[in-house]
């Protein structure tokens, strides 16, 4: 629930899920008005669906940060309701294998 400016201030990269409702699809909520619209829709009972990142998408986000020597912390929704966590772990393992093979 942070804006782009807040993420930048914290030096944090957000890798959001795509959210679809009312015929629109949003990858993230860049400002407070977009967040307000999202929560207002939830209060009205609008049906929301999400799409998790696949392992390749995660790897494209993770790899340059790892190569730059940065640590990664993935905060994901529960693995019981989304494949977000599982996809991130698959990507991390694939990157670990690549690193081991290239050493």
């Amino acid at each position: 629930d942070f804006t782009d400016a807040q993420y930048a201030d914290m030096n944090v990269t957000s890798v959001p899920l795509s959210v679809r409702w009312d015929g629109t699809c949003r990858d993230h909520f860049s400002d407070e008005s977009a967040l307000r619209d999202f929560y207002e829709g939830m209060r009205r009972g609008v049906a929301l669906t999400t799409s998790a990142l696949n392992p390749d998408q995660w790897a494209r986000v993770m790899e340059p940060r790892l190569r730059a020597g940065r640590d990664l912390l993935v905060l994901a929704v529960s693995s019981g309701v989304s494949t977000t966590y599982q996809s991130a772990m698959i990507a991390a393992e694939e990157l670990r294998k690549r690193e081991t093979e290239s050493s």
Side-chain angles (χ1 to χ4, degrees), residues 1-83:
D1 291 352
F2 295 116
T3 65
D4 286 347
Q6 290 169 315
Y7 282 121
D9 287 345
M10 295 182 290
N11 195 25
V12 169
T13 301
S14 171
V15 186
L17 303 177
S18 294
V19 180
R20 180 177 293 281
W21 83 94
D22 278 349
T24 63
C25 185
R26 282 225 163 103
D27 290 331
H28 73 292
F29 303 97
S30 59
D31 59 39
E32 290 181 27
S33 68
L35 281 169
R36 270 193 306 277
D37 291 346
F38 172 75
Y39 285 113
E40 181 56 36
M42 287 181 70
R43 280 189 283 280
R44 288 192 329 263
V46 172
L48 304 169
T49 59
T50 61
S51 298
L53 277 72
N54 65 46
D56 288 336
Q57 291 168 310
W58 271 114
R60 285 194 297 269
V61 172
M62 293 174 168
E63 189 168 27
R65 287 154 182 81
L66 292 170
R67 288 197 185 281
R70 296 186 64 193
D71 292 328
L72 300 177
L73 171 65
V74 173
L75 302 175
V77 296
S78 168
S79 61
V81 296
S82 174
T83 61

